[in-house]
Amino acid sequence: MLNAEMNEIGQFIPLHYHYQMLSDASRMNAFRTAIEEIVTPRHKVAELGSGTGALSFFAARKGAQVWSVEFNPALVSASQKFLNENGLAHKVHISQGDAANWLPPEPVDLVICEMLHSALLREKQLQIVAAFRDAHMARFGKAPGILPAATLLGVQPIFQCYDFNGYYAPVPLFQSPYYESDNCGTCGDPVVYKVIEYDKAYVETFEASVSFSFNNETNVNALRFITKSLLTMDLFTGKSIDWHSQYLILPLSKTYELKAGQVMNTRFIYRPGDPIEALSNAISVDIVEQLQDKEKDQLSLIA
Ligand SMILES: C[S@@+](CC[C@H](N)C(=O)[O-])C[C@H]1O[C@@H](n2cnc3c(N)ncnc32)[C@H](O)[C@@H]1O
């Protein structure tokens, strides 16, 4: 398939990368717990982009009938084999195809989709979930529950060490949200720039204009993009089962040496599913002096 076409559909992760996802304890525990909490034996479930079949397996193990779709034929056969070895092949039907144009033969109670790349780049989580939700509604007259329920996107200024044995190379990188990194210091609190609720979200451009103020001298040379998904929410208790995709660290064009009282205005714009470079290239930064309270009062009087 041509690169441009691949980019239209999403990102296909070859079998040899699935080990990383399967052995990511935070990811697996969060999805397993959420699926076990929601799914009952009466449920019909769909999974979009089922990979090795692990999430479909969790739903089938709770007694649900599952239909799954996966684009990569090698993963379709691997997952059929694994499900068979796990004794649940009879509960999960896997089709090969593009999840953006696929519906199960019957209405489902829940759809699961884990194409949650950092900052919702590269994979087409939003496009695929919205297309499925709308097609399901049009065909069966009802909307399925969606797992994850929502994704929060945030951004934070940081100082990242880009020294590699004396070689300075400011490259984009991924970081675990679940472990402290020695090579990275935070310079301010994260700010949420987008909230996506999958039961009503539609595909749109994400446009952010975020300001960070500094009370001390600080060096900032990168932005950390935070992607937190609420897999399921209990509306009565307010409790949720959450999962953080890997942090994405994007270097800025230079190191900004900020003085106390200065404000860093950052702006960026991208479409969900875009390549990482689209976001990298879209970041702009300017530094301004913080308005004193007196100046703010004067401005509000003018306004
Ligand atoms: C991040 S992996 C998750 C796999 C599996 N659900 C799990 O959690 O272990 C996303 C999967 O979606 C598949 N995929 C991506 N875009 C797709 C599309 N448009 N249609 C069907 N499958 C797709 C990829 O090949 C990959 O196996």
Side-chain angles (χ1 to χ4, degrees), residues 49-207:
S50 46
T52 51
L55 307 188
S56 293
F57 167 76
F58 294 144
R61 194 168 59 179
K62 281 295 305 271
Q65 180 62 48
V66 185
W67 290 274
S68 307
V69 63
E70 166 57 52
F71 191 84
N72 182 339
L75 285 167
V76 174
S77 26
S79 55
Q80 279 164 338
K81 181 169 171 284
F82 300 153
L83 284 158
N84 195 29
E85 282 164 358
N86 283 278
L88 282 175
H90 62 290
K91 294 290 266 177
V92 185
H93 182 274
I94 305 171
S95 313
Q96 190 278 323
D98 179 1
N101 312 313
W102 174 86
L103 274 178
E106 296 176 34
V108 291
D109 304 286
L110 178 73
V111 60
I112 303 168
C113 184
E114 197 283 89
M115 299 189 194
L116 294 164
H117 200 277
S118 315
L120 295 191
L121 291 162
R122 303 192 75 191
E123 294 182 285
K124 305 282 182 191
Q125 174 84 11
L126 183 49
Q127 285 86 337
I128 284 171
V129 170
F132 182 89
R133 179 198 66 205
D134 295 348
H136 190 280
M137 185 73 194
R139 168 90 169 271
F140 302 118
K142 71 166 204 165
I146 302 174
L147 191 167
T151 299
L152 312 184
L153 299 175
V155 63
Q156 180 177 33
I158 62 164
F159 186 82
Q160 171 70 39
C161 173
Y162 290 114
D163 181 287
F164 303 95
N165 281 31
Y167 187 60
Y168 172 71
V171 290
L173 63 106
F174 294 99
Q175 218 177 48
S176 169
Y178 294 99
Y179 304 100
E180 283 290 314
S181 165
D182 292 341
N183 299 325
C184 174
T186 57
C187 307
D189 290 336
V191 172
V192 172
Y193 63 88
K194 187 79 200 162
V195 177
I196 295 130
E197 292 172 87
Y198 290 102
D199 60 346
K200 46 181 169 279
Y202 57 94
V203 183
E204 58 174 327
T205 299
F206 298 162
E207 198 166 357

Side-chain angles (χ1 to χ4, degrees), residues 262-283:
Q262 287 189 315
V263 176
M264 185 171 134
N265 294 322
T266 59
R267 275 181 291 280
F268 50 85
I269 177 168
Y270 66 100
R271 303 267 301 166
D274 268 353
I276 290 171
E277 303 76 54
L279 172 55
S280 257
N281 296 338
I283 297 172

